Amino acid sequence: MKHTRRAILFALAFTLLFGMSSVAHASGAGIEWDNLNQELEELYGAGKYDRSVAVAQKALRVAERNVGPEHPDVATSLNNLGSLYDKQGDYARAEPLYKRSLAIREKALGPNHPDVALSLNNLAGLYQNRGDYAAVEPLYKRSLAIREKTLGPDHLDVAQSLNNLAQLYRTKGDSAAAEPLYKRSLAIVEKALGPDHPHVALILNNLAALYCTRGDFAAAAPLLKRSLAIREKVLGPDHPDVAMSLNNLAELYKTRGDYDKAEPLYTRSMAIFEKALGPDHPFIATNLNNLAELYRTRGDFARAEPLYKRSLSIDEKTFGPYHPAVATDLNNMALFYETRGDYVKAEALYKRSLAILEEALGPDHPDVATSLENLAALYRALKRDSEAEALEQRAARIRAIKR
């Protein structure tokens, strides 16, 4: 089983929209804090994570100085800094920040405040990224219960919780549990914002991803097309969200083997991203990787290789050399060299990818199992059966863990 980078899905965009705490102007922590949070929001949206961390750290220091260590504004800054580390795959730094933010909010605001629900939601997302699914579900469910009780069943934050719980079930392979949650989330957003709002496009995209996971491309295609149409109409043809939809529709066509339809969508998507976000944004890395996979599948190795290398360079620059996104890039480049028959390069890249995933996600994460399976497949092709068998057995033990 080969693990390749897939489309930019709704869960990612939803996190960008709601994962960081909103901040009211002229709050208790002061105007300087407000201004720092505004700068942080702009840097985060532009994918400038290293600079964002420095601003978030300064905002936290300002809040602690102005209102003391137990104020809700400090919880907001802790949450925001945690979100940045989470995004960069630095879960060890993110977790204690999320937990401290949650503790402050529970003490200052009570256990059923919407901000407590936000902290629960973000902590759950971190555990989901780490593959600790047993810890995720109760946090998402508690977040959802708080929001339904305090905000009502049709609030947009309830839609977020429904989506995130659905995403968990989809990741665990429980599409039957995920589908009604996605649909309820979609219904809430359509009722609250109308059928042509960009948030509707996001949920359509995520529901389409569920159908793609099932192999139901006939159900996924109209959702992706409607999502694209909404974004083009509301946001204009050169918006990054349009590029996201183009990329995802291209992924659908590529998966179906319709490469002639996929390629122009990828190239248009990349042009929009580069114009809007600059040449080194991580969304462009995803797009490059997907287009490289298309060329590899078609046997066009000369065009694929520089795209893989550029994608890896962007992710290493953005996230550092030990992030799971870098591991995905290395895995895909390894598959490229394996396909081309360069087994020495492939083995080294698979091993580096595996080492990153084990360090970042832990030795029992499902992505580690996938990496083990990929390296084992290479060893099988090279008739190194005893080495392959050991990796396959370890992968099978990981797969057998109840999550």
Side-chain angles (χ1 to χ4, degrees):
M1 185 170 97
K2 302 297 180 184
H3 176 64
T4 59
R5 173 174 285 174
R6 294 300 182 191
I8 303 167
L9 298 178
F10 168 66
L12 171 62
F14 208 80
T15 300
L16 292 178
L17 185 63
F18 290 104
M20 300 185 72
S21 299
S22 60
V23 181
H25 184 66
S27 56
I31 295 297
E32 182 186 6
W33 186 72
D34 289 334
N35 291 338
L36 287 167
N37 278 290
Q38 180 63 38
E39 181 183 0
L40 173 59
E41 184 177 349
E42 293 170 359
L43 290 169
Y44 185 81
K48 298 176 181 177
Y49 303 123
D50 288 340
R51 289 175 60 191
S52 297
V53 167
V55 174
Q57 289 172 334
K58 184 176 180 180
L60 175 59
R61 292 194 297 270
V62 169
E64 289 179 320
R65 181 191 70 208
N66 289 352
V67 293
E70 303 298 327
H71 192 278
D73 286 352
V74 172
T76 294
S77 284
L78 289 164
N79 176 79
N80 289 349
L81 183 57
S83 294
L84 289 165
Y85 287 136
D86 193 354
K87 175 64 178 172
Q88 292 178 311
D90 193 344
Y91 306 129
R93 287 187 179 182
E95 184 177 7
L97 297 174
Y98 281 151
K99 286 184 172 179
R100 184 181 160 203
S101 175
L102 174 61
I104 292 171
R105 285 170 165 168
E106 287 183 313
K107 181 179 179 181
L109 305 173
N112 295 315
H113 192 278
D115 285 356
V116 171
L118 176 63
S119 286
L120 291 165
N121 179 78
N122 289 352
L123 186 59
L126 181 146
Y127 291 146
Q128 185 168 342
N129 289 336
R130 289 201 320 207
D132 188 358
Y133 302 134
V136 174
E137 189 169 359
L139 296 178
Y140 275 148
K141 285 185 172 179
R142 184 182 161 202
S143 178
L144 173 61
I146 291 170
R147 286 169 165 173
E148 287 183 315
K149 180 179 179 180
T150 59
L151 303 173
D154 296 325
H155 193 276
L156 289 173
D157 285 358
V158 172
Q160 184 206 21
S161 286
L162 291 165
N163 167 81
N164 290 349
L165 192 55
Q167 182 73 2
L168 170 66
Y169 291 143
R170 184 174 76 85
T171 301
K172 293 170 65 175
D174 192 350
S175 62
E179 185 175 9
L181 299 179
Y182 280 135
K183 288 183 173 179
R184 185 182 159 202
S185 179
L186 177 62
I188 291 170
V189 175
E190 284 186 312
K191 180 180 178 181
L193 302 175
D196 294 327
H197 194 278
H199 292 359
V200 172
L202 293 175
I203 305 176
L204 290 167
N205 187 70
N206 218 31
L207 184 57
L210 177 69
Y211 293 142
C212 286
T213 301
R214 288 181 182 171
D216 190 352
F217 302 122
L223 300 181
L224 289 174
K225 289 178 179 178
R226 182 183 163 202
S227 176
L228 174 60
I230 291 170
R231 286 168 164 169
E232 287 184 313
K233 176 183 177 182
V234 177
L235 303 174
D238 296 324
H239 193 278
D241 285 357
V242 171
M244 192 181 294
S245 282
L246 290 166
N247 176 82
N248 291 349
L249 188 57
E251 274 291 291
L252 174 69
Y253 289 140
K254 183 177 74 176
T255 303
R256 293 197 315 197
D258 197 343
Y259 304 131
D260 290 339
K261 285 186 177 180
E263 184 177 3
L265 297 180
Y266 280 138
T267 54
R268 183 184 162 202
S269 174
M270 192 182 310
I272 294 171
F273 276 140
E274 288 184 322
K275 180 180 178 181
L277 304 175
D280 296 324
H281 194 281
F283 285 1
I284 293 169
T286 297
N287 192 274
L288 288 163
N289 218 301
N290 289 344
L291 184 57
E293 282 292 296
L294 183 147
Y295 291 144
R296 180 193 65 80
T297 304
R298 291 202 311 202
D300 192 347
F301 300 139
R303 297 175 78 181
E305 187 172 20
L307 300 183
Y308 283 126
K309 289 181 175 180
R310 185 181 162 202
S311 176
L312 174 62
S313 176
I314 291 171
D315 279 341
E316 286 183 320
K317 180 180 178 181
T318 301
F319 301 117
Y322 304 110
H323 190 276
V326 173
T328 299
D329 294 333
L330 293 166
N331 176 85
N332 292 354
M333 195 179 295
L335 177 58
F336 164 75
Y337 287 125
E338 182 182 352
T339 304
R340 210 172 66 172
D342 193 340
Y343 301 124
V344 174
K345 284 185 178 178
E347 182 180 6
L349 293 171
Y350 278 138
K351 285 183 173 180
R352 185 180 160 201
S353 175
L354 174 61
I356 292 170
L357 292 173
E358 288 177 317
E359 178 66 24
L361 304 177
D364 295 327
H365 192 280
D367 286 356
V368 172
T370 300
S371 188
L372 291 164
E373 290 160 352
N374 288 351
L375 183 56
L378 174 66
Y379 287 157
R380 288 291 184 191
L382 297 175
K383 308 300 182 184
R384 293 162 61 176
D385 292 334
S386 61
E387 293 172 272
E389 184 174 0
L391 297 178
E392 290 163 351
Q393 288 176 351
R394 184 181 161 202
R397 288 194 294 270
I398 294 172
R399 299 285 186 204
I401 296 172
K402 187 175 181 180
R403 303 182 189 275

